Amino acid sequence: MLDVMESMRLRVSGLLHELPRGKTLPDELWVRRQNGILLLLAAHVPGLFLYALYRGVGVVHAALEAALVAVFAWGATVLRRERRWSTVAAALGLLTSSAVLVHLSDGLIEMHFHFFVVIGIVTLYQDWEPFLIAIVYVVVEHGVGGAVLPGAVYNHAGGVENPWAYAALHGAFILAMSGAGVASWRLNERLISQVSTRQDALTEAQHIARLGSWEWDIRTDEVTWSDQLHVITGVPRHVPASLSLFLEGVHPDDLPVVESEVREMLGDGSDREFQLRWRMPDGEVRWMHARSHTRERDATGAVVRVSGTMQDSTERMVTDASLRQTLSLLNATLDSTADGILVVDLDGVVTTMSRRFVDMWRLEPANAVPGVPVRDLTASVLDQLRDPDEFLDRARALNRSLEAESHDVIEFVDGRVFERYSTPQRVGGEVVGRVWTCRDVTEHKQLQDDLAHQAFHDPLTGLANQALFRALVEHAIARFGRTQVPVAVLFIDLDDFKTVNDSLGHTVGDELLVAVSERLGHCVRPADTTARLGGDEFAVLIEEASSAEEASAIAERILEALRRPLQVSGKELYASASIGIAFGHAGLHGDQLLRNADLAMYTAKRKGRRRFEVYEPDMHAAAIARLELEADLRGAVARGELVVHYQPIVDLTSGTTRGVEALVRWLHPTRGLILPDVFIAVAEETDLINEIGGFVLEVACAQVREWQHSPGREELIVTVNLSPRQLLDETITERVASVLARSGLSPSALVLEITEGAMVHDADLAVSRLDALKALGVHLAIDDFGTGYSSLSYLHRLPIDIVKIDRSFVEQLDRDDASLASAIVSMAQALQLTTIAEGVETPHQLSVLRDLGCELAQGFHLAMPADADTVSALLGIPVRTRLVATLPD
Ligand code: C2E
Ligand code: CA
Ligand code: CA
């Protein structure tokens, strides 16, 4: 039961819902319709009046009938502002007209049609009030009128007899008519609401888009603008639209363009689209985007109706401009960056390419434009690359994986090196291509290589440095452990390099080192490594030394190569080296191998330099002893441990003692007497030689001056050994002069002995020192003559007076070989030099020397070196006072 009620209720409400709402007619429209209806109503007043006269009712009656309608017409007109009352009045007026018409026609049934017409008209109000009034009016008028005055309503017997029944019949028709009216009203209402919704939406859309529309009927020259077009152009809505209104608003600069567009539009009727600047009434200029479309052509094809839109595009133009600016900035950046940039889309087509990229890859003009397939680009550069296959492989791998990022290095045949980065290009997260960036890192790479080289090479000579050499030795030793391939190290130390540096300066010293390193390079095999360990120390790593002889042969070659003078700073300098050789063996560390070679080198030094020695295990002990010796020697002079012995020098013709050679001795507190051969070399390597040499000179001069006081010994001379190191000392001349002055010895009684070694490095300097000494009045002797490498030829350049024939040549005399001794004597004679033979041990040697014309001699056969007391006795001089050794102050 309840369900039925509910469904009924729903059906009713559904039905009600279908009924028209009413009050939906827009005011504007109502006004227009009302005006028409009022006109119609007003027309009824004279119409009814005339019809009444025609029906012969008399003027007064006719006027009354017409007045009835006129009242309503007047009311509806007066109440025009009150929509509802005006409507009601007009509706009543019309209905009353119907009633009057029926009444005047004595109920003529055809006149009832007027009611139907009125109902139709009232429907135009689309409102319930007039409509309901109309229905009620019709029904009531028929019913009441029929009952009271049937003749005024019906003109047939049925109606007159049964007025209510006929009233009901008329009412039913009226209702049916009303139903039709309501239906059409309802449909009308819907249509209007739809249209207005659409219109609203369109207006809203135009508003949002800041887009206005227009239409131009060329035949009538009627132009209509949408509201929004008025809004965006700033032209008030009441100003009537026209073509000239439009052209007035266009910016003068754009007028020619706009006019030509309009001509085109009217000419061929093509759709147009263009930009123009619009001057707003307040003076502001805004950008408009205009479009037109031909809507209609006439039979001849001429354009007769056009519509179009105009959209405010100022914001977009501003955005576009800033976009263009960004783009130009981007392009400028792209072209000015030091990196080369290439962008390739997913189809493998180049979309962007920076100028720098074109330069860097030396692209052909044909390939240097966006749009080329990257394949062509790649093909054109392959021959520049060091490894084209690898390049292609990597490119293919990247092509397979869209998302991959990569960084690699590309090497070119001509040495250039590029660093390359690759990243996917994305738009809104989606990969659309790939960006390649190339950076020329050639210089950077070069710098890196240089630095790496510097870390392991000696900057001066370019040879391997100590760090690299040690590593290589370690490596070679490790390999020896596996393969038993022999390894040898040559340790090379220049002799007296310190002297060169001190006397000629570091620049010359450096140049000498470079020259030596070049010589060394020629002596080793390509597989061997030459290194500068520091200072004047060099080393050679000989790998695969097939035998000990091979290493020795290389050492020989080095010594031989250094015999020739080196061209340094326009001078001819000599360098000699002492070389130590050591071999690797199982269990030996690289460091130990180097130390062994070093020890062997020291041994070579001690054994007289300019030679090589192969390492032997007992060299360790010797080295230690040597170190101890050096420590002991320091301060030996101060402690009074050094003494001077003298060996007489005898005249071979007269047999008299012409002089003595001063020879130093060391009275070591624990080791006893030590001969100079043992410690002079150590002293020479340190600065001790100057101290020792000065001491000997001082003591010898004083002693000989003392002996000269004895009768017959006034002419006694003394020879004092001067080591190369002493000769190169700048103060040597002053020192000698002051010693002479202190002792009172005549300079002519002093002979300074120098060896050829003093001439080794810089003969010019040595000669100038000798000249200075010579200027003091002292005599100079060449000691150990013939043992050095120097030729006899330069002897004449030296300011010397005496040549001392080395013991080795004297020895040869016993083997009946007098050739060298003879040559030296005759050459000395030719140069008017005095000769002193050394180490004369036999009477035979003595007689041969005398026969050769040698003037003086010394040797064990004649007299052993001995202390001053012994020599005094030998000279027949009574020992008066012992000279106390004193240091020169
Ligand atoms: P030297 O200048 O050639 O001195 C001669 C050396 O021959 C001395 O050795 C001497 O004892 C030795 N001698 C002399 N006669 C004979 C002989 O008949 N047979 C043999 N086998 N030897 C003989 P010494 O004193 O041991 O000196 C060795 C070297 O030490 C010297 O050779 C000299 O170069 C150096 N020396 C010695 N004293 C000094 C010095 O005060 N200053 C410097 N700078 N060097 C010195
Ligand atoms: Ca000597
Ligand atoms: Ca000598």
Side-chain angles (χ1 to χ4, degrees):
M1 187 65 184
L2 271 168
D3 287 353
V4 175
M5 292 276 283
E6 180 61 20
S7 75
M8 287 270 283
R9 203 186 61 80
L10 280 175
R11 203 162 299 167
V12 169
S13 81
L15 218 69
L16 286 174
H17 187 75
E18 276 307 303
L19 290 176
R21 295 284 95 77
K23 309 247 175 342
T24 52
L25 197 66
D27 282 344
E28 275 172 33
L29 214 59
W30 176 84
V31 169
R32 292 230 294 274
R33 290 188 185 182
Q34 184 70 342
N35 284 343
I37 290 171
L38 288 179
L39 212 66
L40 190 70
L41 189 58
H44 274 78
V45 177
L48 287 173
F49 177 70
L50 290 175
Y51 181 63
L53 289 182
Y54 166 71
R55 290 290 289 173
V57 293
V59 177
V60 176
H61 186 173
L64 272 173
E65 295 274 1
L68 214 55
V69 174
V71 166
F72 284 112
W74 172 79
T77 309
V78 169
L79 293 168
R80 238 182 337 198
R81 301 205 180 280
E82 299 284 328
R83 174 171 163 173
R84 180 195 277 181
W85 295 119
S86 179
T87 303
V88 168
L92 287 173
L94 284 172
L95 289 161
T96 306
S97 300
S98 303
V100 168
L101 196 62
V102 170
H103 164 66
L104 286 177
S105 63
D106 292 331
L108 186 68
I109 205 71
E110 281 73 21
M111 286 308 178
H112 283 252
F113 293 155
H114 195 275
F115 274 113
F116 290 90
V117 174
V118 170
I119 291 293
I121 290 170
V122 166
T123 312
L124 284 174
Y125 285 120
Q126 300 189 3
D127 221 338
W128 284 112
E129 277 157 2
F131 199 73
L132 289 175
I133 287 171
I135 294 170
V136 171
Y137 188 103
V138 171
V139 174
V140 169
E141 197 268 350
H142 277 66
V144 175
V148 178
L149 212 74
V153 182
Y154 308 114
N155 69 339
H156 53 88
V160 172
E161 279 160 27
N162 297 305
W164 283 107
Y166 275 85
L169 186 66
H170 278 241
F173 275 110
I174 290 291
L175 279 173
M177 169 76 195
S178 303
V182 167
S184 104
W185 163 23
R186 171 69 186 142
L187 289 174
N188 214 0
E189 202 178 75
R190 266 196 201 161
L191 213 65
I192 285 175
S193 100
Q194 273 172 8
V195 168
S196 87
T197 308
R198 226 178 275 171
Q199 186 64 41
D200 285 354
L202 196 71
T203 311
E204 184 67 13
Q206 292 203 355
H207 174 72
I208 290 168
R210 290 190 64 73
L211 176 142
S213 57
W214 52 267
E215 208 175 298
W216 181 19
D217 192 321
I218 289 137
R219 284 165 304 197
T220 60
D221 199 22
E222 197 183 320
V223 177
T224 46
W225 281 17
S226 75
D227 288 353
Q228 192 57 34
L229 190 54
H230 282 280
V231 171
I232 64 171
T233 55
V235 175
R237 210 161 302 182
H238 62 79
V239 178
S242 68
L243 179 65
S244 55
L245 177 75
F246 167 66
L247 292 176
E248 270 166 33
V250 173
H251 193 281
D253 292 355
D254 291 347
L255 214 50
V257 177
V258 172
E259 282 170 346
S260 102
E261 290 287 343
V262 173
R263 269 196 301 278
E264 292 274 336
M265 171 180 91
L266 297 179
D268 61 3
S270 59
D271 290 354
R272 315 300 312 169
E273 190 170 342
F274 56 94
Q275 292 282 348
L276 61 96
R277 274 166 295 171
W278 182 263
R279 285 178 310 171
M280 301 294 283
D282 62 3
E284 189 192 352
V285 174
R286 296 193 71 88
W287 280 98
M288 299 284 172
H289 186 85
R291 285 191 178 92
S292 77
H293 173 64
T294 297
R295 294 284 293 274
E296 203 182 326
R297 293 171 191 265
D298 64 11
T300 66
V303 178
V304 293
R305 204 152 60 89
V306 195
S307 68
T309 57
M310 198 150 85
Q311 189 171 21
D312 188 326
S313 58
T314 313
E315 274 77 29
R316 213 186 64 205
M317 289 298 279
V318 170
T319 319
D320 281 3
S322 90
L323 213 72
R324 269 198 301 277
Q325 203 187 343
T326 310
L327 211 68
S328 80
L329 194 74
L330 207 73
N331 276 323
T333 313
L334 216 64
D335 278 339
S336 63
T337 174
D339 295 344
I341 295 162
L342 178 77
V343 187
V344 180
D345 69 12
L346 290 184
D347 300 327
V349 175
V350 172
T351 54
T352 307
M353 191 190 285
S354 77
R355 239 200 323 257
R356 181 87 183 100
F357 184 89
V358 175
D359 294 346
M360 282 172 72
W361 286 87
R362 299 174 183 168
L363 298 183
E364 299 285 319
N367 285 326
V369 282
V372 294
V374 74
R375 216 181 321 112
D376 295 0
L377 215 65
T378 309
S380 76
V381 299
L382 279 183
D383 57 348
Q384 296 182 43
L385 303 174
R386 186 158 284 175
D387 193 343
D389 292 337
E390 193 195 355
F391 183 84
L392 287 175
D393 285 350
R394 276 194 303 231
R396 276 187 210 112
L398 278 174
N399 280 343
R400 277 195 292 275
S401 56
L402 286 184
E403 304 274 338
E405 303 207 348
S406 82
H407 169 218
D408 59 0
V409 170
I410 303 170
E411 293 187 7
F412 288 73
V413 189
D414 62 4
R416 283 178 301 148
V417 182
F418 287 2
E419 223 168 46
R420 183 173 65 166
Y421 298 85
S422 169
T423 44
Q425 182 197 13
R426 287 176 219 270
V427 172
E430 186 106 352
V431 176
V432 297
R434 186 162 276 286
V435 182
W436 300 90
T437 316
C438 293
R439 181 168 298 183
D440 190 334
V441 292
T442 313
E443 277 175 34
H444 184 77
K445 177 91 186 331
Q446 186 64 49
L447 197 73
Q448 262 183 348
D449 291 352
D450 287 354
L451 282 175
H453 186 268
Q454 269 170 35
F456 290 108
H457 289 82
D458 169 42
L460 181 66
T461 60
L463 297 176
N465 68 6
Q466 175 152 191
L468 177 59
F469 190 75
R470 284 182 184 277
L472 290 173
V473 168
E474 210 65 68
H475 185 73
I477 292 250
R479 206 173 46 187
F480 171 77
R482 294 195 306 272
T483 61
Q484 299 297 308
V485 174
V487 182
V489 167
L490 263 59
F491 203 109
I492 304 157
D493 191 284
L494 298 188
D495 299 330
D496 294 318
F497 179 70
K498 191 175 183 316
T499 328
V500 177
N501 248 357
D502 291 351
S503 55
L504 299 176
H506 287 269
T507 318
V508 176
D510 284 354
E511 287 178 40
L512 182 75
L513 289 173
V514 173
V516 167
S517 76
E518 281 165 8
R519 285 272 161 94
L520 289 180
H522 295 129
C523 301
V524 299
R525 305 166 309 172
D528 303 331
T529 308
T530 309
R532 180 174 171 225
L533 302 182
D536 59 346
E537 289 177 347
F538 295 87
V540 177
L541 171 65
I542 301 170
E543 295 190 64
E544 302 182 28
S546 49
S547 64
E549 283 70 41
E550 192 156 349
S552 303
I554 292 175
E556 290 276 19
R557 275 211 294 278
I558 293 171
L559 292 174
E560 192 55 42
L562 291 179
R563 271 182 213 282
R564 285 176 284 118
L566 297 156
Q567 289 292 332
V568 172
S569 290
K571 293 177 186 220
E572 283 203 344
L573 292 188
Y574 285 89
S576 77
S578 303
I579 303 174
I581 302 174
F583 293 92
H585 57 78
L588 192 75
H589 289 298
D591 278 354
Q592 291 172 313
L593 179 58
L594 266 172
R595 199 193 54 205
N596 290 350
D598 192 7
L599 271 173
M601 183 278 290
Y602 259 99
T603 311
K605 274 238 164 68
R606 254 191 27 246
K607 287 197 175 169
R609 308 167 177 204
R610 190 184 290 277
R611 57 187 293 151
F612 73 88
E613 288 294 324
V614 176
Y615 170 77
E616 275 157 27
D618 63 8
M619 284 178 178
H620 271 293
I624 289 164
R626 209 180 120 81
L627 279 174
E628 285 172 359
L629 191 78
E630 189 186 319
D632 285 354
L633 190 58
R634 218 167 278 279
V637 176
R639 291 192 300 271
E641 290 171 13
L642 296 187
V643 293
V644 182
H645 282 193
Y646 304 90
Q647 183 176 38
I649 299 168
V650 177
D651 188 317
L652 288 185
T653 17
S654 64
T656 55
T657 297
R658 286 273 299 276
V660 291
E661 176 173 8
L663 295 163
V664 70
R665 263 85 185 113
W666 183 8
L667 291 168
H668 194 275
T670 52
R671 289 165 66 179
L673 181 86
I674 303 178
L675 289 174
D677 277 339
V678 178
F679 66 88
I680 285 294
V682 177
E684 287 235 6
E685 275 161 33
T686 63
D687 260 344
L688 287 170
I689 192 66
N690 282 324
E691 186 186 345
I692 294 169
F695 164 78
V696 174
L697 188 69
E698 184 92 31
V699 173
C701 289
Q703 182 60 68
V704 172
R705 178 72 194 111
E706 174 73 25
W707 283 330
Q708 283 179 346
H709 291 305
S710 300
R713 296 297 176 195
E714 295 85 354
E715 299 296 310
L716 202 68
I717 60 164
V718 61
T719 73
V720 177
N721 294 286
L722 206 63
S723 84
R725 190 80 172 258
Q726 282 176 279
L727 183 66
L728 295 172
D729 180 26
E730 285 174 359
T731 63
I732 185 65
T733 321
E734 291 166 40
R735 284 175 174 224
V736 172
S738 78
V739 168
L740 286 169
R742 263 200 303 279
S743 64
L745 187 74
S746 155
S748 60
L750 176 63
V751 179
L752 294 175
E753 294 188 10
I754 49 141
T755 57
E756 291 161 299
M759 246 64 67
V760 166
H761 299 297
D762 188 351
D764 293 347
L765 182 75
V767 169
S768 77
R769 286 284 147 77
L770 292 177
D771 283 338
L773 287 169
K774 190 80 198 270
L776 292 176
V778 301
H779 292 104
L780 300 174
I782 276 277
D783 203 355
D784 305 339
F785 187 77
T787 57
Y789 51 89
S790 57
S791 63
L792 302 176
S793 61
Y794 79 88
L795 212 55
H796 71 277
R797 286 171 50 201
L798 301 178
I800 52 162
D801 311 282
I802 300 163
V803 174
K804 293 190 81 172
I805 303 165
D806 191 68
R807 201 172 67 221
S808 54
F809 305 118
V810 175
E811 256 177 8
Q812 289 171 0
L813 300 179
D814 277 345
R815 297 196 293 276
D816 287 328
D817 180 3
S819 57
L820 285 170
S822 150
I824 294 168
V825 172
S826 34
M827 184 211 58
Q829 282 170 346
L831 293 170
Q832 294 177 328
L833 302 175
T834 307
T835 45
I836 304 177
E838 292 187 293
V840 178
E841 293 182 346
T842 62
H844 175 70
Q845 290 168 352
L846 198 64
S847 68
V848 177
L849 285 166
R850 193 181 289 126
D851 292 349
L852 286 175
C854 178
E855 297 161 70
L856 301 168
Q858 59 186 102
F860 295 168
H861 174 65
L862 296 164
M864 297 284 284
D867 61 29
D869 290 354
T870 311
V871 176
S872 292
L874 197 82
L875 293 175
I877 299 167
V879 181
R880 281 180 296 193
T881 44
R882 180 177 283 274
L883 279 168
V884 176
T886 48
L887 275 171
D889 38 30

